[in-house]
């Protein structure tokens, strides 16, 4: 049965604010799963199962799929699309309320996230796993084109921001495919892309990861201001101390936050740590 017929049969009503734009193109679904590198040894966490089209494709190739879906009215739809699928478990819960450590304890091994994300939670969701995950190997997600650009941006460009610097501390990102809006039902107002964020947790050694995040947040608190000004205002320190930290971190005194690479932020936060600032 076609997806639209299954949805109609169960009188499913789309909720726009939950980012419900479903995929049914089997070639595209197969391509996403192939590019994600999931195989019979891989556990997968899928966020936002929707009508279960991607879930089904994933379960054909993965060891086990742990799916999350916030909308309980999709239960009968998922019951039908996933009938007979045994290596899959759907939790009807807001993923943002899930504890990453508890989830990882339940899975008990390394895993990948593969998802056509609800767009309204994209950035907090990525940061939740970037900051708290110990066992996630990769995040393969469909995101709005604008977010893909932000994830992949180079320092000094308009798209580079706190999320880029946050990801770059522990992972490497790449664009896998572009997906036009017509591939979704209902059709959203923007095009999308699938990006892969691969964890590389030993990339940098930083004295205090929380302080790295404080440095990034402070640096991007006002793009119009120099980094020194943001440090003075955000960390409530004197200009002299801000300039001292920047000199020790070998960052130009007039630099702006958005020009700093992850490596620069590591040096900055390590110097903040040495001077007991922002702790
Ligand atoms: N995976 C399906 C597909 O590709 O067709 C659906 C993707 S749709 C873009 C996003 C799904 O995420 C929707 O089914 C929506 O109800 C669900 N969702 C939205 N917010 C969520 C949340 N906070 N936690 C879990 N699922 C959520």
């Amino acid at each position: 049965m076609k997806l639209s017929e299954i949805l109609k049969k169960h009188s499913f009503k789309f909720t726009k604010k939950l980012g419900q734009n479903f995929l049914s193109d089997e070639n595209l679904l197969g391509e996403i799963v192939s590019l994600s590198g999931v195989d019979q040894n891989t556990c997968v966490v899928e966020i936002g199962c929707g009508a279960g089209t991607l879930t089904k494709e994933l379960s054909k190739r993965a060891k086990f799929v742990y799916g999350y879906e916030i909308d309980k009215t999709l239960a009968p739809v998922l019951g039908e699309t996933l009938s007979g699928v045994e290596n899959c478990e759907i939790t009807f819960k807001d993923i943002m309320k899930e504890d990453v450590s508890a989830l990882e304890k339940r899975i008990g091994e390394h895993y990948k996230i593969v998802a056509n994300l609800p767009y309204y939670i994209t950035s907090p969701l990525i940061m939740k796993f970037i900051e708290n995950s110990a066992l996630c190997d990769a995040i393969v997600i469909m995101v709005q084109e604008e977010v893909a650009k932000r994830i992949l941006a180079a320092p000094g460009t308009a798209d580079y921001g706190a999320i880029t610097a946050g990801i770059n501390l522990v992972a490497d990102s790449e664009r896998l495919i572009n997906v036009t809006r017509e591939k979704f039902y209902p059709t959203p107002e923007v095009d999308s892309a699938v990006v892969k964020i691969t964890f590389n947790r030993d990339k940098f050694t930083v004295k205090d990861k929380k302080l790295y995040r404080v440095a990034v947040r402070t640096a991007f608190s006002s793009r119009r201001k120099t980094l020194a000004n943001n440090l003075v205002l955000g960390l409530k320190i004197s200009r002299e101390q801000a300039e001292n930290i920047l000199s020790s971190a070998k960052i130009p005194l007039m630099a702006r936050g958005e020009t700093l690479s992850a490596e620069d932020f590591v040096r900055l936060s390590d110097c903040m740590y040495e001077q007991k600032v922002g702790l």
Side-chain angles (χ1 to χ4, degrees):
M1 206 186 282
K2 275 171 66 179
L3 176 64
S4 55
E5 287 165 5
I6 299 177
L7 294 173
K8 201 170 166 195
K9 181 175 153 193
H10 295 284
S11 310
F12 175 71
K13 300 260 179 308
F14 285 92
T15 306
K16 201 174 174 191
K17 72 172 184 359
L18 289 179
Q20 292 181 334
N21 301 96
F22 294 170
L23 287 175
S24 61
D25 182 325
E26 281 183 17
N27 292 333
L28 175 59
L29 290 164
E31 193 179 0
I32 295 170
V33 180
S34 296
L35 289 167
S36 70
V38 166
D39 64 25
Q40 60 197 20
N41 299 313
T42 321
C43 283
V44 174
V45 172
E46 188 200 355
I47 293 146
C49 297
T53 48
L54 181 59
T55 325
K56 191 169 179 183
E57 211 52 44
L58 283 165
S59 62
K60 282 185 200 160
R61 308 209 208 161
K63 179 175 174 187
F64 200 87
V65 181
Y66 296 84
Y68 279 83
E69 174 52 60
I70 198 170
D71 185 353
K72 289 197 179 83
T73 70
L74 281 162
V77 176
L78 284 164
E80 179 157 348
T81 33
L82 300 177
S83 92
V85 176
E86 286 180 355
N87 59 339
C88 168
E89 184 181 284
I90 311 282
T91 306
F92 287 93
K93 182 174 180 182
D94 177 351
I95 187 68
M96 297 311 293
K97 295 195 175 136
E98 184 61 290
D99 180 75
V100 175
S101 317
L103 168 64
E104 296 194 341
K105 211 168 169 191
R106 182 153 68 96
I107 300 173
E109 59 181 284
H110 284 252
Y111 65 96
K112 287 181 178 169
I113 294 174
V114 183
N116 170 18
L117 281 189
Y119 291 159
Y120 75 104
I121 54 165
T122 306
S123 302
L125 190 276
I126 293 173
M127 292 322 292
K128 184 179 171 91
F129 282 88
I130 284 289
E131 291 173 4
N132 301 302
S133 147
L135 297 176
C136 184
D137 289 337
I139 304 176
V140 180
I141 40 174
M142 176 89 75
V143 295
Q144 287 185 17
E145 173 56 28
E146 173 215 324
V147 181
K149 282 191 183 135
R150 283 203 273 134
I151 293 172
L152 300 160
T157 62
D159 291 317
Y160 186 75
I163 188 169
T164 334
I167 293 171
N168 289 352
L169 176 66
V170 290
D172 302 308
S173 309
E174 61 188 303
R175 179 186 291 263
L176 297 181
I177 43 168
N178 297 328
V179 181
T180 55
R181 63 195 78 182
E182 297 77 34
K183 295 282 182 188
F184 299 86
Y185 181 77
T187 309
E189 278 148 26
V190 288
D191 292 327
S192 294
V194 178
V195 298
K196 183 174 187 182
I197 300 170
T198 307
F199 279 89
N200 179 1
R201 293 181 173 84
D202 299 327
K203 223 172 139 180
F204 297 109
T205 308
V206 63
K207 291 195 193 307
D208 184 332
K209 278 192 180 158
K210 277 196 189 141
L211 205 52
Y212 177 96
R213 285 177 222 140
V214 172
V216 169
R217 213 172 39 239
T218 309
F220 286 101
S221 55
S222 172
R223 281 185 176 256
R224 290 196 188 163
K225 295 191 171 74
T226 60
L227 177 57
N229 277 343
N230 278 332
L231 292 179
V232 169
L233 290 168
L235 302 173
K236 300 191 174 36
I237 54 174
S238 66
R239 173 153 302 274
E240 193 189 353
Q241 186 162 24
E243 292 189 352
N244 197 326
I245 291 172
L246 290 179
S247 310
S248 325
K250 300 191 170 41
I251 295 168
L253 298 187
M254 292 309 288
R256 286 182 188 273
E258 67 263 30
T259 62
L260 268 61
S261 64
E263 203 175 346
D264 296 329
F265 276 118
V266 168
R267 286 202 315 281
L268 175 62
S269 70
D270 282 357
C271 290
M272 285 163 57
Y273 183 89
E274 302 289 345
Q275 300 202 19
K276 298 189 174 39
V277 164
L279 287 168

